[in-house]
Amino acid sequence: MSYLHEWPHPMKSIDLRKLNHALVIAEAASYARASERLHLTQSALTRSIQALESELGLQLFDRGKSGVRPTVDGEKILDRARYLLLQARAFEREVDLLKQGEHGEIAFGVGPAMPCLFLPELLTEMCSQHPDLRIDVAIESGHRLLDMLREEAIEFFAADIHQLGELDANLYAIEPLVDIPADFYVRSGHPLAASSVVTGADMNSYPLISAQHRKPLWWEKTDDSTDKKRNNQASKQLLCNDINTLRCIIRNTDAILIGIPQMVGEELAAGLVRPLAVHWPDPRPVCALALVSLAGRTASIAGAMVSAAIRGLLTADA
C-alpha cells in the first residue's frame, strides 16, 4: 500500500547545490567568506540558504557576534549533506568513466582463429589503457557465439562469417572487416612438403585438422565412387578450437592444417611449417572476419571502444 498521497506536505527534491552552499557556510563560519569561496554575491547566497531552510522546514544556522553557527538540527542535516554530496561526486565520476569506457564491463566473443589475429594485442591495449574496465572474452565456435549473442551473454562477437551460414539481417547487424585467404599447412618434414603439386587425393591420406567446422572441400564434392572411398578417409578429421593444440599437432604429426597463416605464424617464420603447393580452385576459400551484434541495439561505450580497437588492429595488419 502506498502512503505517498497521505503525506500532507511532500518535500521537494533536495537541491544539492544549495546543500553545498550550506556546507561552505558552516566551514567558513561566515556568509561573507563563503560567498567569496563560492563566487556568489552575499545576497544570492542568503537567498539560497533561505530557500533551502524553507524546503526543509528547518532553521540551519544561527547568526551571532562570533559568526555563523549551525543549529542542532542544522548539524544533523549538514552531516547527511556531506554524505550525499560525496555520493553525488562519486556518481558523476562513475558516469564520466562510463562515457570514456574506463569503467564498467564488456562481454564479447571471438571465433577459434581470432586469438592469433588480434586478441593478445587487444587485451594488452585494454589492460594498459583502461585498467578499470572489466572484460569477459568467450572463445567459442561461431554457432555457439550466435547462441550467446541471442541470450545476450555477450554484446558482440568477431568470427568467420562463412561458418555461420545465412544470417537474418532483421536479427543481426553484420560488419565485414577483412578477408584472409586460407591454406593447407604441414610440418617441414611432411611427406608432401617437397611436392611441387599436391592434389586432393594426396591429402586424403592424412588427417585434416582445423579450428572450426568446415564445408566440404572441392574434391569431396564428387560423385565418383573411388573418390567417395577417399572421402571416407578424409572424414577422419580433427576439430579443435584451441590454436596452441593445433600448432602442437601439426609440428609433431603428419596431419594437415586447414587455416590461415596467422595460426602458425611463428612456425612459418622459423621454417618449422610450410604451406602445401596446392592448386586451389576459384574462388579460393577465405576466412571472412566480421563483427556480429544484435540488430537495432546501441553499443555500450565500452563495446564501441573495443570494437574500434579490433578494427584498428586489423587495419594495421592489412
Side-chain angles (χ1 to χ4, degrees), residues 122-144:
L122 173 69
L123 296 183
T124 299
E125 178 181 331
M126 292 297 107
C127 286
S128 61
Q129 298 184 15
H130 310 282
D132 292 329
L133 182 64
R134 177 178 174 179
I135 301 174
D136 187 354
V137 186
I139 303 175
E140 298 283 354
S141 69
H143 292 288
R144 174 57 186 146

Side-chain angles (χ1 to χ4, degrees), residues 246-263:
L246 294 178
R247 292 168 62 186
C248 179
I249 294 171
I250 193 176
R251 287 196 307 264
N252 295 286
T253 73
D254 285 340
I256 299 173
L257 172 68
I258 308 172
I260 56 178
Q262 289 85 348
M263 294 171 64

Side-chain angles (χ1 to χ4, degrees), residues 28-44:
S30 164
Y31 273 78
R33 287 191 294 270
S35 64
E36 290 177 2
R37 293 184 189 178
L38 293 167
H39 305 289
L40 290 173
T41 64
Q42 197 166 331
S43 59

Side-chain angles (χ1 to χ4, degrees), residues 33-169:
R33 287 191 294 270
S35 64
E36 290 177 2
R37 293 184 189 178
L38 293 167
H39 305 289
L40 290 173
T41 64
Q42 197 166 331
S43 59
L45 182 57
T46 299
R47 287 194 299 271
S48 175
I49 297 303
Q50 288 174 342
L52 178 61
E53 290 177 329
S54 176
E55 291 169 7
L56 296 174
L58 296 169
Q59 183 178 339
L60 299 180
F61 295 102
D62 286 326
R63 293 195 188 196
K65 294 182 180 179
S66 59
V68 179
R69 293 183 53 190
T71 63
V72 174
D73 290 334
E75 286 283 7
K76 296 177 180 178
I77 295 297
L78 292 174
D79 283 343
R80 177 62 65 178
R82 290 185 184 91
Y83 174 78
L84 288 175
L85 290 171
L86 179 64
Q87 292 300 307
R89 286 193 291 271
F91 175 77
E92 290 173 353
R93 183 173 185 276
E94 182 83 5
V95 171
D96 288 340
L97 289 172
L98 286 170
K99 288 179 179 178
Q100 300 167 24
E102 299 289 346
H103 198 49
E105 58 187 59
I106 173 65
F108 66 98
V110 295
M114 300 306 104
C116 64
L117 284 172
F118 60 77
L119 192 58
E121 294 80 3
L122 173 69
L123 296 183
T124 299
E125 178 181 331
M126 292 297 107
C127 286
S128 61
Q129 298 184 15
H130 310 282
D132 292 329
L133 182 64
R134 177 178 174 179
I135 301 174
D136 187 354
V137 186
I139 303 175
E140 298 283 354
S141 69
H143 292 288
R144 174 57 186 146
L145 291 173
L146 271 179
D147 291 339
M148 295 179 71
L149 185 63
R150 284 192 294 266
E151 296 163 2
E152 299 191 71
I154 55 176
E155 185 173 329
F156 70 89
F157 68 84
D160 181 1
I161 202 70
H162 286 168
Q163 299 298 317
L164 302 176
E166 197 71 28
L167 294 181
D168 188 342

